[in-house]
């Protein structure tokens, strides 16, 4: 799986950071950043939760 944040949709709510701090951080510009673009399966549940709780739907999970 690959994780992508759409910067045009991200509002910097940081809900993704709360759900998966190993994978996301909030930058100085209040935009979510992906720390681990291809997280392991052990983080899948957290990443999926982060995508679900994003109010703008800015997080995509791409299966490869």
């Amino acid at each position: 799986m690959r994780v992508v944040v759409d910067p045009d949709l991200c509002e910097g709510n940081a809900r993704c950071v709360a759900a998966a701090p190993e994978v996301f951080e909030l930058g100085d510009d209040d935009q979510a950043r992906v720390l681990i673009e291809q997280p392991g399966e052990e983080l899948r549940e957290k990443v999926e939760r982060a995508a679900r709780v994003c109010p703008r739907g800015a997080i995509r999970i791409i299966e490869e």
Side-chain angles (χ1 to χ4, degrees):
M1 108 179 112
R2 187 165 56 94
V3 182
V4 178
V5 174
D6 184 333
D8 294 329
L9 293 176
C10 180
E11 293 180 334
N13 292 302
R15 292 184 185 171
C16 59
V17 177
E22 305 91 336
V23 180
F24 301 97
E25 72 176 355
L26 206 58
D28 292 337
D29 58 355
D30 289 332
Q31 293 286 301
R33 302 271 188 270
V34 177
L35 297 172
I36 305 171
E37 187 175 310
Q38 294 182 318
E41 283 299 312
E42 70 278 2
L43 293 173
R44 179 177 287 278
E45 186 176 324
K46 287 184 171 188
V47 171
E48 288 176 347
R49 184 177 323 120
R52 280 193 311 272
V53 300
C54 179
R56 296 281 304 196
I59 299 169
R60 288 187 306 141
I61 299 170
I62 301 168
E63 299 298 339
E64 297 185 327

